[in-house]
Amino acid sequence: MTLEATSPSANYGSTASNSSFYAAMRILPHDQREAMFQIYSFCRQVDDIADSDGPRDERLAALQEWRNDIDALYQGHPPPRLKDYVASVKTFGLKREDFLAIVDGMEMDVPQDIRAPDMATLDLYCDRVASAVGRLSVRVFGLPEEDGIQLAYHLGRALQLTNILRDIDEDAGLGRLYLPREALLHAGITSNDPNRVITERALPKVCQSLTQRAKAHFEKSDEIMNRNKRRAVRAPRIMSKYYHSILDLLIARGFNAPREPVRVSKVTRILILLRYAFI
């Protein structure tokens, strides 16, 4: 769901992410499109804080300012940078707790870089930086409450796990390692040093368990979208197909070093749009 989930795994600023996001959102009616761009802008701004090179205490303070501004928005006193959000919050019933969860997720990388979190922590991270974005988004798309929450749960995790698998080397360059501790230990990897882990011969075994988890979430999200009106799930469907294509490319490439970056071809992106955008 996402919008794509966080930093750098979320890639709110990458060209590929932007192209997939904009392609999916441009097909929406005006009010929905504006709301989605507002959600994206919010995610991008807090993500930029978390990923900046500034002192950690300054980044924590800047994220707290965003929490204060969200509180002010919902108290009826929106700060200048959130004034345009008032109509979207009211029209689509966007929840304060979902905006705050996104900030909390971005903050998980700030006090210290995430390195080999346990599975429960990784799942919480995925929920905050991806599924929370999804919970905001499905309200904009107009899905029924229960199915919308479940779609956000599964598709958010599918997209975020795909991001993590795609960005293993990039994350290591930033001192981060999102692969879960349990999977590393099961593969016989005891280090949590990102630059050491990415050279381990057993790394593909770790990645295989995450690919299976991501595929299961994609399957669940497909089940939910299949039982809802096609027009209501056009945008999440495009995002899902785009990211499932990335996952397929990663599986085909494998995870042994050296790992070449994978990119969805322009032809594939166009075919996804042609199939799912015009309904």
Side-chain angles (χ1 to χ4, degrees):
M1 85 17 356
T2 92
L3 301 183
E4 293 125 80
T6 140
S7 69
S9 300
N11 291 307
Y12 285 109
S14 75
T15 301
S17 297
N18 286 343
S19 64
S20 62
F21 173 79
Y22 281 105
M25 299 310 138
R26 286 178 61 187
I27 65 173
L28 297 172
H30 178 269
D31 288 350
Q32 290 180 316
R33 185 170 65 249
E34 288 300 304
M36 288 305 301
F37 283 132
Q38 288 165 2
I39 294 169
Y40 180 90
S41 175
F42 168 78
C43 293
R44 173 67 185 272
Q45 290 179 77
V46 293
D47 183 62
D48 284 347
I49 293 170
D51 266 3
S52 75
D53 295 327
R56 294 183 188 271
D57 58 344
E58 291 182 8
R59 285 185 276 163
L60 290 171
L63 291 172
Q64 183 58 47
E65 288 180 11
W66 271 107
R67 290 193 185 91
N68 296 340
D69 283 354
I70 291 295
D71 284 340
L73 169 65
Y74 281 86
Q75 291 166 3
H77 309 290
R81 62 182 173 180
L82 291 177
K83 280 189 175 181
D84 291 343
Y85 288 58
V86 174
S88 296
V89 167
K90 182 177 181 180
T91 300
F92 300 109
L94 305 182
K95 301 295 186 182
R96 167 182 170 273
E97 56 263 33
D98 292 327
F99 282 110
L100 294 178
I102 295 167
V103 180
D104 291 343
M106 302 299 181
E107 190 178 78
M108 290 175 72
D109 272 316
V110 178
Q112 59 185 13
D113 294 318
I114 290 180
R115 292 191 174 187
D118 59 47
M119 185 59 75
T121 301
L122 177 62
D123 191 65
L124 176 62
Y125 179 76
C126 290
D127 187 79
R128 287 173 169 177
V129 304
S131 293
V133 185
R135 291 192 289 272
L136 292 170
S137 302
V138 294
R139 294 182 181 279
V140 175
F141 300 148
L143 271 78
E145 179 78 10
E146 185 174 347
D147 271 359
I149 296 300
Q150 285 299 306
L151 179 59
Y153 178 93
H154 288 293
L155 189 52
R157 283 161 170 78
L159 301 190
Q160 186 63 21
L161 291 173
T162 300
N163 279 326
I164 288 170
L165 289 164
R166 181 190 63 189
D167 296 338
I168 291 171
D169 296 300
E170 182 182 344
D171 291 342
L174 296 172
R176 296 173 182 173
L177 178 65
Y178 295 95
L179 301 176
R181 183 183 311 155
E182 294 91 334
L184 290 167
L185 292 175
H186 184 68
I189 300 174
T190 57
S191 174
N192 69 350
D193 180 344
N195 289 305
R196 180 173 176 180
V197 170
I198 62 174
T199 66
E200 292 278 359
R201 294 182 63 182
L203 183 64
K205 184 177 181 180
V206 180
C207 296
Q208 182 180 18
S209 67
L210 277 197
T211 59
Q212 293 305 312
R213 202 174 273 266
K215 287 169 69 174
H217 284 302
F218 274 121
E219 290 172 3
K220 288 291 187 181
S221 64
D222 281 343
E223 291 175 10
I224 297 166
M225 288 189 284
N226 287 341
R227 64 175 179 251
N228 280 275
K229 294 179 180 179
R230 293 182 69 185
R231 185 167 291 274
V233 297
R234 286 184 303 169
R237 180 83 77 180
I238 291 169
M239 296 297 295
S240 174
K241 295 302 180 183
Y242 180 86
Y243 266 81
H244 206 306
S245 296
I246 293 175
L247 184 62
D248 289 342
L249 289 170
L250 290 170
I251 294 170
R253 181 205 64 187
F255 292 93
N256 287 306
R259 290 168 288 274
E260 291 295 323
V262 302
R263 291 181 177 84
V264 178
S265 70
K266 185 176 181 179
V267 171
T268 299
R269 296 199 303 268
I270 291 172
L271 289 175
I272 291 172
L273 281 175
L274 289 175
R275 182 171 182 182
Y276 298 105
F278 306 106
I279 298 172

